[in-house]
Amino acid sequence: MTTTPEQNQYDLELKGITKHFGSFMAVGNLSLSVERGQFVCLLGPSGCGKTTTLRIIAGLEEPEKGEVWIDGRRVDDDPPWVRDFAMMFQDFALFPHMTIRKQVAFGLEMLKRPKEEIRRRVDETLATFEIGALADRKPDTLSGGQQQRVALARALITQPRLLLLDEPIGSLDFSLREAVMLELKDVQRRLGISFIWVTHDQNEAFSLGDLVVVMNHARIEQVGPPEAIAERPRTRFVAEFIQGNNVFEGTVESVENGNARIGTPSGSFDVPVEDAPLLAPGAVVTFSVRADILSTRPQAEHVNRLEATCNAVEYLGAIRRYDLQLEDGRSLKYEQFRSAAARIKEGERVSIGWRVEDGVLHASPSAPSDEHRA
Amino acid sequence: MHWRTRQKAAKIILGGITFFFLIFQWFPLFTMGVLSFTGPDDGTTFPMRSLSLHWYREFLRDSFVDDFKPPMYRSLVLAVICSVTTAGLALAAAQAMRSRFAGSDLFFYLILLGIMAPGILVGLGMAVVARVLGIPLAWYSTTLAVHLVWTLPFGLLLLLAAFNRFDRELEEAALTLGANRWSAFWRITFPLVLPGVIGAALFGFTLSYDEFARSLFATGSEQTLPLIIFAQFDRQLQPTLYAIGTTTTVISLGMVGLFALLFRIVRRRAQTTSPGVN
Amino acid sequence: MPPHQHHRMSTVRERASVSYLLALPATLWMIGGLIVPILFIVWVSFWTTREFALDNPLSLTHYIKLFDKPVYLKLVGHTVLQTMVLMGITLVLGYCMAYFIVGKVQRDGRKYLLIFLLIIPFWTSALIRTIAWIPFLGVNGVINQSLIFLGLIDEPIGIFLYSRTGITLAQVSFYTLMATGPVVYVMRNIPPSVLQAAQCLKASPFHVFWRITVPLTLPGILIGQLLVFLNVMADFATAAAIGGNKFAYLGNLVLLLYDSGQLPFASVIAVVMMVCMLAGVAMMLKVVDIRRLGAL
């Protein structure tokens, strides 16, 4: 294989990957580039193709179309045991018949390293992951958290460029997850390798990922750093999947000065457009506004206005979330910091406003998120 | 060689071995079935010069029927008794084992010994016991005793598997809803492990119906079907034996089919009436 | 499960006395139908004379007879050898099939079909299946005719019926199932992710097989081999029907002696058989705990 410096700036590249199971499309024409040492989270609901994508990278599934490049080397014709990566499975997939020491040494033994080196590196790794005391035990005597560390140690001992993680903390107790997340992030930073982390939990994705890839129905909906995903959802699906967005659907009434006026059942609102000429009046579009950017004391700059009644209040740690009812019966989410002074009581009427630039117009009228695109 | 080619080659070779073995295993039975329709002048092997029902008619002739009917009847009755007893005792034994009573390990090994102990030893042993103690050998007593020793372990293993699969929480729910242990068992537990009970009954029936080695020693003058077939075979191999063999094989397969059907019905009913239970 | 596990409600209480009642019928039946008969065999094997008397003096008379003629010891050797041959063949054949059915057949429907095709003959008469082999093996049998048809031989050869080859062929067809079944059962319980994890740790299929699959299926292999071992050791019907009594094994000798009324000597042969079996079982149990099968 030829290796050019240009390709080598990526730990992983996927180009036009497509995979069907029968007539069900699991991954559709998916392309993705992962730069050196990036922490990438594949985020999406179950069945969106994120795990299949991970398994295609590993070589455990074979795509019908597309290319897989790992560390500047095209590998789609290579079996898993030749590709340069490591993987952590959701159930950890520890070998039931091997002691922890054997387990951790397995990868190096397969690489046919000298015995002396294997012993030394196993000792080091056991120490690094603080599982030296478990060395002679079998996996079924370990707690979930211990198993997770063993799985990580086993995967990382071969010093791969790329670690694939399939919901790696999904089977752990909630109380453990936070600590394990921080630890994994720390490991990734220290080793400088890339992590591809599959999850359906947006909190995991946002707190860990350098890059978040939101997937739905076999396709990538949006790729970007967590802030971009949270603040500028590209599609209706992303806006609805990520908590804290209010989504409006309406018809374009007019387009001028880079803004579109969109008529919705709840009223008409101005939303900025990037490609104004492409948007003709009459088009059906969706846009969203973040619940925490709304203002309950609209100033002149808050051009878009709504009247609402407070339906319910939820306390979510640092924030307070209000369920507001609009005059047309729809509901609107509004969030404020717990420390905010202006509280709204249940049943109280409020005026809501937001600036033009707070609205985010979604890319091409996306299909309703529950439709099957097989 | 490319790794995919190698994997495909391995699959083809292993598949070929499996396919070849299945043919190897089934072909004699099929051949026997075919040969049972051979003409009256043909021998016990190929070529078949003509097709006929001659040997089935021969088998149904009076003199033959007089020989074969009582053993067949005995074998069927014995199989039914063995089937019911196996299911009942295995159910009780499995339910007992769930409580992990002191000595339940020993109990398990004791029953498992029934699979391990070869028929000839058990049969001979029973014959010795009967001779020494002066107990008459009979198909409904000594033969039944040794058959059950063989079928009970299968029943117990199936029922332990059935109990393992089902969800204790349903039982707990019934008990918290005020059912006593007895009615909770019959109304909740039993229907859920019924497929296992049916499986145990199937093993009890077919293994007893076809058993030869154990019966050979433990049965007295009133013989069971496999014994009379062996006696006939010892005298002379005639296509009549193929006709008999084909008939009993069809009966065995029919029983398997019947039980499989029952199994499916019970399982489906258990699934529809209690969602979430598999 | 550890005894300190917290109490759970169920239709059985932990260590409830009713359990003993439930276990009693099966226990009594197994003792009466299995343990007592075997103890009687041992007892009778020490009888001095053939006569039936509860006060028959005990001695090693019939055991000594065993060493009188080399033919008996040779028979022990033949039986053990035949058992070894069968264990070897069924191990390889059975494992290949289990590996194919569990590991290579993708669709569940086909998997079950193959498993069914494999085990259904278990529910038919072994005797009938033995008889069904005869038209295959004879001089004019199916095997000879096929070989002639294929042009591999010019005239029928007599190596099949009344020969060790014929007995072995038939026994392989009966007993391979016993070797395959437990392996299929154990192999199905290996999570696919474990094998995939090994692949991801750079293990080639060869290494995955020898380092993961084989060790994890070892209990199944041993249970299967144990069943083959016990059954072939004790098999007499196949040899009687296909071997034409020319190639007798220990089981045939037991039958012969029993029929001729030499009960103590028949018992001695049975005890020899049992000792061989116990030695084999003890060896295998050393390697694997049967109870762990259910836990896998």
Side-chain angles (χ1 to χ4, degrees), chain A residues 62 76-77 79, chain B residues 2-4 7:
Chain A
E62 232 179 289
D76 26 305
D77 214 29
Chain B
H2 192 268
W3 66 279
R4 282 200 188 109
Q7 290 209 319

Side-chain angles (χ1 to χ4, degrees), chain C residues 165-183:
Chain C
T165 317
I167 296 173
T168 308
L169 278 177
Q171 285 186 330
V172 165
S173 89
F174 302 153
Y175 297 125
T176 302
L177 165 68
M178 294 184 178
T180 319
V183 177

